[in-house]
Amino acid sequence: MLRRESPCKINLLLNILGRRPDGFHELETLFHHVPLTDELRFARAEAEVVLTCNDPALPVDGTNLVHRAATRFLAAAGLEGAGVRLHLEKRLPLAAGLGGGSANAAHTLLGLNELFGHPLSAEVLDTLAAGLGSDVNFFLQDRPALATGRGEQVISLEPFAALKGTGILLVHPGFGVATPWAFAELKKYPAALAGRPGRAAELAELLRQGDLTAAGNALYNSLEAPVLDKYPVLRLYQEFFRRHGAWGSLMSGSGSTTFALFATPDAAQAAVEPFQREFGPAGWLRTTALTS
Ligand code: C5P
């Protein structure tokens, strides 16, 4: 039995540059890991992929990204006769903009590669990851990263010293946002659909310099245009966190999770009680410290 923690991510910046002929959107994004995790367990078994999950809301058949990742791994490794039992202990919210499902897929590839004695190279894992989803490649590595293309072309960055040990608060409002809907809605927001390239690298440079005030102002997510229009409460969350000590606050990915960045984990924790007094205790809320 092999275990892996499967973390999540935020997009410190998600800048859409245009719609591509294949229906995906060209973008640049600055990813950062958040050390809140699901757990995956793996064991060799008879000739089948069998997935179990603690969350009944998640299908465990071939539509589940973990199942799909396992099937593709076995095929690519020439192990079609082999089987595997997988268990996903889901703790992160679904359809949340945190990349939880993408991380599960990436860590399934990494975990199975370990379980079977590393039959696949990093390059092959990267190709499999890109076929599973746009955010999966980021989770094959453990650094902050700048990503381009549809998100699958990942350049690892040195960890930002200015962020290490700082506080983050994440709040999921209790409703999700369907990623295809958010992207499709962009056609109604021409400015958000045609971002100015270079913003991700600019934000990375501000973070590298440790200028968190400027970085806070440079956080940007094109998908806020449609999503905050539909769910204005998410805009109120951000304003609230900035009034309560956050140096930056943004929606992650296609939402619906909002994150807020604080100087310390204690400062993030101090915002929880006033937030719940203002907006109620519903939904999912966590605070933690950023690592790398
Ligand atoms: O790649 P992934 O499965 O995460 O994408 C989910 C959906 O989000 C896609 O089917 C597409 O509608 C949209 N998408 C997009 N452009 C991207 C990434 C995702 O249009 N770069």
Side-chain angles (χ1 to χ4, degrees):
M1 172 79 66
L2 193 87
R3 285 167 192 266
R4 282 189 88 90
E5 295 289 315
S6 174
C8 59
K9 57 83 178 166
I10 52 170
N11 303 84
L12 292 164
L13 183 133
L14 198 172
N15 185 21
I16 292 171
L17 308 177
R19 191 168 182 278
R20 314 194 318 190
D22 66 1
F24 281 90
H25 291 75
E26 194 71 17
L27 55 79
E28 53 173 21
T29 187
L30 186 58
F31 283 121
H32 203 287
H33 286 96
V34 178
L36 298 171
T37 59
D38 296 327
E39 187 185 280
L40 282 162
R41 289 180 229 140
F42 312 86
R44 292 197 197 206
E46 296 306 306
E48 229 186 332
V49 173
V50 179
L51 171 65
T52 54
C53 180
N54 65 316
D55 184 347
L58 262 182
V60 288
D61 59 11
T63 61
N64 188 300
L65 267 183
V66 168
H67 197 290
R68 221 181 299 162
T71 305
R72 293 193 189 178
F73 173 89
L74 294 175
L79 292 163
E80 285 93 343
V84 63
R85 259 187 306 115
L86 304 112
H87 179 75
L88 169 60
E89 195 66 22
K90 198 79 201 166
R91 305 177 191 131
L92 297 164
L94 310 177
L98 297 175
S102 301
N104 295 163
H107 283 274
T108 298
L109 296 177
L110 294 170
L112 292 180
N113 209 31
E114 193 177 329
L115 190 70
F116 287 96
H118 298 276
L120 298 186
S121 66
E123 289 71 27
V124 174
L125 292 179
D126 218 43
T127 304
L128 290 181
L132 289 163
S134 305
D135 288 350
V136 181
N137 298 76
F138 166 69
F139 289 106
L140 291 178
Q141 55 90 61
D142 58 6
R143 300 231 162 158
L146 211 154
T148 56
R150 57 184 173 86
E152 88 287 18
Q153 290 169 32
V154 174
I155 302 163
S156 306
L157 302 176
E158 279 300 311
F160 298 114
L163 294 187
K164 195 168 168 62
T166 62
I168 182 167
L169 183 157
L170 299 123
V171 59
H172 181 277
F175 56 83
V177 172
T179 304
W181 172 85
F183 275 99
E185 281 291 292
L186 277 173
K187 60 181 176 297
K188 300 181 187 164
Y189 302 87
L193 183 56
R196 172 181 65 78
R199 295 179 72 162
E202 287 164 19
L203 176 57
E205 180 57 21
L206 292 171
L207 290 167
R208 203 187 59 74
Q209 290 167 4
D211 187 345
L212 298 188
T213 304
N217 292 326
L219 302 181
Y220 174 72
N221 182 346
S222 311
L223 294 172
E224 285 191 342
V227 179
L228 299 195
D229 252 10
K230 182 167 181 187
Y231 303 108
V233 70
L234 301 180
R235 195 184 303 280
L236 301 182
Y237 286 5
Q238 293 183 20
E239 290 166 8
F240 182 91
F241 290 129
R242 286 179 186 267
R243 280 201 310 278
H244 286 76
W247 59 264
S249 183
L250 196 74
M251 183 180 84
S252 185
S254 59
S256 57
T257 302
T258 296
F259 66 85
L261 302 166
F262 294 84
T264 64
D266 282 350
Q269 189 55 40
V272 172
E273 200 264 332
F275 176 82
Q276 292 185 327
R277 216 178 322 121
E278 181 93 354
F279 293 99
W284 174 93
L285 187 151
R286 295 286 184 280
T287 64
T288 188
L290 289 177
T291 45
S292 59

